[in-house]
């Protein structure tokens, strides 16, 4: 039993080489509102950050203003990527104390931040690789984001795309490290194993991987932890590790209440998704049974569907958001199912191989 509660994901902070341009993409392509800013004008001498928000999802995009900083080093090692997956807690001091006593490395001791809108307490621990978790206690704060940030004053319009909240955040690990990292979440946070898939579930000759989903007590936080498994081809997890140069965040899944509307909007705005081969849809009705959506529209948009005993879910994955094949996003709509698309891994990879076979290349 923990002495504190986690109430959800608070924000994800990315270290990027050009936060101004990244913020433009998050606004015009993904439909996020720029709500807060810190930089030279606000007295921040070494970094600039833009905060973007859509419903309950917040991204902080941070770039260095100086050489040889922790931020510039991170970008040089990993490319653009997620630095911090933060949690909203009711007691940041207790969260930090308990985690560090149970073996987590402290990055930042509990710190009281205040301005005329109130106060917050934040504390940070190391997760895996160069990725951190920050605990944010914000119940006494009325400002736009955190003390130190000002309201973003440029009256830039965003056209929201229906993204509601962060469903899960996935961490990729090198071969043999998945269990160690899951044990860390168990020991340090008291989280439990919510779902898992081994290489028998997610393996074809194409891309084998193992995955365990760690969840906190109230299951508001779900973090799948992946590692590569041996297949005939290089695992996509290994490709991530090779380009990120360490463990790190592979994808963030954002929920929608209407995936058809969301994906249509995102495609119109130029967001690129992974292609779903036509053969994926050949046996889909047998696999998932009756669904509310029009299958032709689902097929046109390239959306994947998976069913378990509680219902079904619809999902789609973007292409990587930067030139390195590292971070990407998932759009997900759950209709009863709490699964992580086990059926889709196999069906999708098998359909890719069917296509390959047709070409005589398997
Ligand atoms: Fe996912």
């Amino acid at each position: 039993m923990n002495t504190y509660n986690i109430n959800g994901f608070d924000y994800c902070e990315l270290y990027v080489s050009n936060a101004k341009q990244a913020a433009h993409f998050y606004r015009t392509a993904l439909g996020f509102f720029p709500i807060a800013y810190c930089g030279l004008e606000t007295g921040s001498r070494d970094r600039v950050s833009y905060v973007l928000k859509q419903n309950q999802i917040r991204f902080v995009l941070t770039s260095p203003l100086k050489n040889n900083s922790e931020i510039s080093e991170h970008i040089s090692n990993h490319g653009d990527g997620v630095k911090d997956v933060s949690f909203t807690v009711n007691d940041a001091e207790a969260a930090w104390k308990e985690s560090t006593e149970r073996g987590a490395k402290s990055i930042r001791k509990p710190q009281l931040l205040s301005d005329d809108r109130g106060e917050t307490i934040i504390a940070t621990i190391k997760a895996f690789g160069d990725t951190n978790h920050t605990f944010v206690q914000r119940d006494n704060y009325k400002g736009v984001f955190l003390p130190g940030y000002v309201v973003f004053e440029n009256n830039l319009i965003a056209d929201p795309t229906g993204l509601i909240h962060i469903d899960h955040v996935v961490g990729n690990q090198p071969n043999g490290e998945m269990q160690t990292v899951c044990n860390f979440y168990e020991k340090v946070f008291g989280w439990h194993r919510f779902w898992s898939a081994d290489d028998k579930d997610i393996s074809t000759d194409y891309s084998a991987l193992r995955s365990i989903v760690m969840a906190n007590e109230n299951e508001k936080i779900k973090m799948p932890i992946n590692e590569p498994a041996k297949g005939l081809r290089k695992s996509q997890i290994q490709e991530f590790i090779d380009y990120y140069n360490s463990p790190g965040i592979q994808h963030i899944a954002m929920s929608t209440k209407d995936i058809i509307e969301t994906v249509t909007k995102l495609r119109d705005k130029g967001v690129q998704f992974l292609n779903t081969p036509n053969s994926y849809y050949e046996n889909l009705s047998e696999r998932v049974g009756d669904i509310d959506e029009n299958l032709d529209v689902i097929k046109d948009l390239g959306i994947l569907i998976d069913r378990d005993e509680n219902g079904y879910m619809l999902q789609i994955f973007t292409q990587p958001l930067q030139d390195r094949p590292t971070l990407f996003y998932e759009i997900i709509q759950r209709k009863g199912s709490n699964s992580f698309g086990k059926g889709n891994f196999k069906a999708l990879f098998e359909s890719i191989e069917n296509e390959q076979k047709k070409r005589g290349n398997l």
Side-chain angles (χ1 to χ4, degrees), residues 185-200:
Y185 281 101
E186 218 163 46
K187 185 176 147 222
V188 164
F189 291 117
W191 292 6
H192 57 276
R193 285 156 208 250
F194 178 82
W195 185 93
S196 74
D198 63 20
D199 39 337
K200 283 178 218 67

Side-chain angles (χ1 to χ4, degrees), residues 167-168 170 224 250-253 315 317 328 330 332 340 345:
D167 186 274
H168 58 274
V170 182
Q250 178 210 37
H251 76 265
I252 297 173
Q315 63 180 169
F317 301 97
F328 58 90
E330 173 184 347
I332 186 167
F340 283 78
F345 284 107

Side-chain angles (χ1 to χ4, degrees), residues 240-272:
F240 174 99
I241 299 290
D242 291 348
Y243 282 88
Y244 202 71
N245 290 320
S246 80
I249 300 301
Q250 178 210 37
H251 76 265
I252 297 173
M254 299 182 279
S255 70
T256 169
K257 290 194 168 99
D258 185 344
I259 197 165
I260 288 176
E261 197 187 322
T262 295
V263 174
T264 302
K265 273 194 158 179
L266 291 171
R267 281 194 183 276
D268 284 351
K269 291 168 189 293
V271 176
Q272 293 181 311

Side-chain angles (χ1 to χ4, degrees), residues 116-308:
D116 57 354
R117 306 305 316 271
E119 57 184 44
T120 59
I121 302 171
I122 57 168
T124 306
I125 60 159
K126 179 183 151 85
F128 46 77
D130 284 333
T131 313
N132 295 335
H133 290 310
T134 290
F135 303 113
V136 182
Q137 183 184 339
R138 55 166 68 255
D139 37 342
N140 291 322
Y141 193 64
K142 304 270 179 292
V144 67
F145 179 56
L146 288 173
Y149 287 79
V150 295
V151 174
F152 193 79
E153 295 286 3
N154 280 359
N155 283 326
L156 295 173
I157 305 294
D159 173 25
T161 52
L163 299 171
I164 307 286
H165 90 300
I166 294 179
D167 186 274
H168 58 274
V169 176
V170 182
N172 276 354
Q173 311 301 326
N175 192 13
E177 294 295 316
M178 175 183 69
Q179 290 292 354
T180 315
V181 172
C182 292
N183 291 341
F184 167 87
Y185 281 101
E186 218 163 46
K187 185 176 147 222
V188 164
F189 291 117
W191 292 6
H192 57 276
R193 285 156 208 250
F194 178 82
W195 185 93
S196 74
D198 63 20
D199 39 337
K200 283 178 218 67
D201 300 311
I202 311 178
S203 88
T204 60
D205 290 341
Y206 234 69
S207 183
L209 64 92
R210 287 181 282 267
S211 184
I212 296 175
V213 178
M214 299 304 294
N216 78 321
E217 216 174 335
N218 58 22
E219 296 183 346
K220 286 188 176 167
I221 303 291
K222 295 197 191 83
M223 291 197 60
I225 304 296
N226 294 340
E227 69 177 5
K230 236 185 157 55
L232 289 180
R233 303 287 170 88
K234 184 187 269 193
S235 170
Q236 53 167 297
I237 309 304
Q238 189 56 48
E239 189 191 33
F240 174 99
I241 299 290
D242 291 348
Y243 282 88
Y244 202 71
N245 290 320
S246 80
I249 300 301
Q250 178 210 37
H251 76 265
I252 297 173
M254 299 182 279
S255 70
T256 169
K257 290 194 168 99
D258 185 344
I259 197 165
I260 288 176
E261 197 187 322
T262 295
V263 174
T264 302
K265 273 194 158 179
L266 291 171
R267 281 194 183 276
D268 284 351
K269 291 168 189 293
V271 176
Q272 293 181 311
F273 292 92
L274 287 189
N275 284 328
T276 309
N278 284 337
S279 55
Y280 170 84
Y281 296 97
E282 277 164 19
N283 307 319
L284 187 67
S285 297
E286 290 159 40
R287 207 158 54 71
V288 302
D290 286 342
I291 55 165
D292 306 332
E293 293 74 15
N294 179 329
L295 206 55
D296 289 335
V297 178
I298 293 290
K299 189 177 166 181
D300 265 3
L301 292 171
I303 292 167
L304 309 170
I305 307 179
D306 197 25
R307 185 181 277 284
D308 65 10

